[in-house]
Amino acid sequence: MSNTIAAISTAQGEGGIGVIRISGESAIKIADKIFKNINNKKLTDMKGYTAAFGKVTFGGEEIDEAVALVFRAPHSYTGENVVELSCHGGVYVTARVLRAALDSGARPAEPGEFTKRAFLNGKMDLTEAEAVADIISARSKSAARAALCVKDGALRAKLDDIKNDLLNLASHLSAWADYPEEDIAEVTDDMIFDACDKAISSLSHLLNTYDSGQAVKEGIDTVIAGRPNVGKSTLMNLLSGSERSIVTNIPGTTRDVVEDTVLVGDVILRLSDTAGLRSTNDEVEKIGVEKARKRLEQCGLLLAVLDNSRELNDEDFSLLKEAKNVPTIVIINKTDLVGKLDTDKIADYCDNIIKVSAASGEGKEEIISAVRKIAGTDKLNPSEGILSNERQRTAVVNALRSVTEAKESLKNGMTYDAVTVSLEEAISAVLELTGERVSEEIVDRVFHNFCVGK
């Protein structure tokens, strides 16, 4: 924190603009060594939130034209003095400007160090810092919106409410027990039960957002499976919007797993189009079928494709049995052909049944609705603030367990001291989640996954 750091904050490659960020107590002085204002005014004489046009030079050599943006502590992203030099984009030019900053007294920033300094300087809590990385990596509108809401404090507001309620209860319990001679309102069992029930409800609601949030953020491993020639590859192409899989009338065309990541509604699906499930003597196809069966055992969502124009056979029933072990959407394809499928038998295995014509695109909206329902995103409101990673989920689980233990302790006739111990453990879990009470190891682990320059 005592050093001034510098890094390229834009993606490395050719572009219109490249930004080199310098942050720390000496940031403005270091920038003054390499940036020559067109009107000869020093950056150290400029106010915060001001910009200047000039040239970056080092060792008597001109490197590039640039715009210098000056931010003065504490009113900057990191809470420190910051200068951002915007030059022409390009690997060579930005590297030269960065090298000039480093040779003038800055040191290379570590991954995520700018955001880490923002956290350590109180500019954001740990959930808001993690949301920065989520905004950068967002692959859909819903993922970006959810991350932005957390960055703006939606999750922090919920956690503050839970924390303050638990702190008020724990402090009241301690004061009432430690200072009986003072005029402190008596603690009642009903008061404790009410506070615990409120915290349990809030924590449980947060926990319920996790899986849906992951579907929006990371996606679901999804397998398209069925016997040969039911239209799996056509469905794959329909969902991906491109010719990802070869489509022919010849059974067994797909012999390996074809993969693609697609956005279905607001849910990311990591699709795998698998070989048709059947017994075969073809050694290559047999390997593909075995791969398909392994994917079935590991997937988070199964799109089980059946052929409307053919009667159910043993392979179909075998696939439907798999539907009982994993979230499944049964897709009855080829509805444009004469139907021979007994849909009543399918209902015994799965409730989510959709009729489509993958070749014409009919039924795609129904697939989107079914996916959103299974993923839980149909009821998800990203603006409320959702959990976005396993660290956050674990902290909420620990807090929920401790509050539940406090309630159970009271039910079992234990003393208020025992209840207070459990409440304090719950408070510690919430403080770890926000970063108000967290180990250096956890902080380092969070920011290690950030890119350099952020």
Side-chain angles (χ1 to χ4, degrees):
M1 291 284 287
S2 62
N3 295 324
T4 296
I5 58 175
I8 300 169
S9 289
T10 44
Q12 304 234 1
E14 294 183 3
I17 295 176
V19 177
I20 292 81
R21 177 182 284 166
I22 310 169
S23 179
E25 185 177 351
S26 303
I28 301 174
K29 292 180 180 178
I30 289 173
D32 253 338
K33 294 179 182 179
I34 63 174
F35 179 79
K36 303 305 177 186
N37 196 331
I38 196 170
N39 61 11
N40 295 319
K41 186 178 181 180
K42 292 283 189 180
L43 298 180
T44 50
D45 296 328
M46 291 171 54
K47 296 180 180 180
Y49 295 105
T50 55
F53 175 73
K55 295 183 178 180
V56 177
T57 64
F58 187 74
E61 182 182 356
E62 182 180 309
I63 298 175
D64 193 16
E65 293 179 333
V67 173
L69 289 170
V70 177
F71 304 88
R72 291 189 176 273
H75 306 296
S76 70
Y77 180 77
T78 62
E80 305 171 329
N81 289 334
V82 172
V83 176
E84 292 183 353
L85 297 172
S86 299
C87 59
H88 290 99
V91 175
Y92 175 75
V93 171
T94 53
R96 283 284 309 276
V97 176
L98 174 60
R99 173 52 55 192
L102 298 179
D103 289 345
S104 298
R107 71 159 172 80
E110 297 174 358
E113 190 171 3
F114 292 104
T115 305
K116 182 179 180 179
R117 290 188 174 203
F119 163 68
L120 295 174
N121 287 323
K123 302 295 289 185
M124 60 182 72
D125 80 345
L126 203 52
T127 63
E128 292 163 351
E130 288 172 310
V132 173
D134 292 338
I135 291 171
I136 294 171
S137 62
R139 291 181 286 176
S140 70
K141 180 180 179 181
S142 295
R145 182 186 171 205
L148 185 60
C149 288
V150 174
K151 173 66 178 65
D152 287 342
L155 180 56
R156 174 61 184 267
K158 281 188 173 184
L159 296 173
D160 279 346
D161 287 342
I162 297 169
K163 177 189 69 177
N164 291 333
D165 287 345
L166 294 177
L167 279 171
N168 289 337
L169 178 59
S171 60
H172 193 169
L173 278 168
S174 297
W176 188 73
D178 295 343
Y179 304 100
E181 69 282 359
E182 300 292 334
D183 187 19
I184 298 173
E186 181 180 357
V187 177
T188 65
D189 288 1
D190 286 342
M191 181 191 301
I192 299 173
F193 282 132
D194 288 345
C196 287
D197 285 340
K198 182 181 178 183
I200 289 171
S201 175
S202 297
L203 290 166
S204 297
H205 180 73
L206 269 179
L207 202 56
N208 290 336
T209 69
Y210 179 73
D211 288 337
S212 300
Q214 288 299 103
V216 168
K217 177 187 170 187
E218 300 292 344
I220 306 173
D221 282 322
T222 305
V223 168
I224 302 175
R227 57 171 158 153
N229 248 26
V230 295
K232 299 185 300 299
S233 296
T234 306
L235 178 64
M236 174 77 163
N237 293 340
L238 172 66
L239 294 177
S240 64
S242 62
E243 298 296 317
R244 292 289 291 117
S245 297
I246 298 173
V247 178
T248 72
N249 292 322
I250 304 171
T253 303
T254 302
R255 298 191 172 201
D256 203 349
V257 178
V258 180
E259 299 177 321
D260 198 5
T261 299
V262 304
L263 187 63
V264 177
D266 52 4
V267 181
I268 297 170
L269 298 185
R270 297 190 294 274
L271 285 178
S272 299
D273 177 20
T274 59
L277 301 176
R278 66 171 178 175
S279 298
T280 177
N281 293 322
D282 186 303
E283 288 300 319
V284 177
E285 186 180 357
K286 188 181 295 185
I287 294 172
V289 172
E290 184 60 29
K291 283 186 177 182
R293 297 193 186 281
K294 287 183 178 179
R295 287 294 181 97
L296 276 175
E297 297 172 359
Q298 302 168 353
C299 70
L301 174 63
L302 168 61
L303 301 182
V305 186
L306 304 177
D307 188 340
N308 179 60
S309 66
R310 289 189 279 176
E311 295 181 356
L312 293 169
N313 66 5
D314 290 343
E315 282 86 2
D316 292 326
F317 282 113
S318 177
L319 178 62
L320 290 171
K321 288 178 183 178
E322 292 287 344
K324 293 189 174 183
N325 301 320
V326 64
T328 300
I329 300 172
V330 172
I331 297 177
I332 300 175
N333 190 30
K334 303 184 183 180
T335 54
D336 50 319
L337 302 179
V338 176
K340 296 181 181 180
L341 206 63
D342 188 345
T343 56
D344 292 336
K345 293 181 180 179
I346 302 172
D348 295 335
Y349 296 89
C350 181
D351 296 329
N352 301 304
I353 303 172
I354 297 172
K355 294 183 178 181
V356 308
S357 173
S360 67
E362 182 182 346
K364 183 177 180 179
E365 290 302 317
E366 286 76 7
I367 296 175
I368 292 173
S369 296
V371 168
R372 294 185 74 239
K373 181 180 177 181
I374 285 181
T377 59
D378 57 333
K379 298 178 181 178
L380 184 68
N381 183 1
S383 64
E384 292 182 352
I386 61 176
L387 304 178
S388 64
N389 57 55
E390 190 60 36
R391 185 196 74 83
Q392 295 177 5
R393 179 186 175 278
T394 299
V396 171
V397 167
N398 291 339
L400 180 59
R401 181 176 60 245
S402 296
V403 176
T404 304
E405 288 175 355
K407 183 178 177 180
E408 292 301 315
S409 296
L410 188 59
K411 277 185 178 180
N412 295 330
M414 299 183 71
T415 65
Y416 284 169
D417 285 343
V419 174
T420 303
V421 169
S422 293
L423 290 176
E424 288 175 347
E425 289 175 350
I427 293 167
S428 292
V430 175
L431 292 176
E432 182 176 300
L433 177 50
T434 62
E436 293 169 271
R437 186 187 299 170
V438 67
S439 69
E440 186 177 342
E441 179 185 358
I442 291 177
V443 172
D444 288 342
R445 192 181 308 160
V446 166
F447 292 103
H448 177 72
N449 295 323
F450 278 53
C451 57
V452 174
K454 193 56 187 171

